[in-house]
Amino acid sequence: MTKDECERAIRSLVHDWADQVHPGAQKWRLSDTEFMGWLRKNHPETLQFRSRIPNTDVVEQWFSQETKQTWRN
């Protein structure tokens, strides 16, 4: 998958994961570490993209943007 394809998939999966694992939870309370573990187990192909910085850092940034947690970075 290209980085753009992975980004689209991961941004969508953030919401799918939140609805499945933490239904009704406030998005800003969700854990990027927990999401990364779930993503590695269920959708490892989405972490297979090329980037200048570590992929996990990129995914955490996307997660933060989707859950409105960018203030933490």
Side-chain angles (χ1 to χ4, degrees):
M1 296 175 77
T2 67
K3 184 177 179 182
D4 289 339
E5 292 170 330
C6 290
E7 179 178 3
R8 283 191 298 277
I10 289 169
R11 286 182 182 272
S12 176
L13 288 167
V14 166
H15 301 285
D16 294 346
W17 167 79
D19 292 342
Q20 290 173 17
V21 179
H22 298 287
Q26 296 172 333
K27 299 261 197 253
W28 62 271
R29 291 183 173 241
L30 299 175
S31 165
D32 58 354
T33 305
E34 186 181 349
F35 174 69
M36 287 296 292
W38 178 85
L39 196 62
R40 281 188 185 101
K41 181 179 178 186
N42 296 288
H43 301 280
E45 70 283 358
T46 61
L47 300 171
Q48 305 291 323
F49 60 88
R50 295 179 69 164
S51 178
R52 291 184 182 148
I53 61 174
N55 291 10
T56 55
D57 292 349
V58 175
V59 173
E60 287 174 9
Q61 182 180 34
W62 295 336
F63 178 89
S64 294
Q65 290 169 350
E66 290 301 310
T67 59
K68 309 293 191 248
Q69 295 184 33
T70 54
W71 55 272
R72 289 182 167 182
N73 298 338

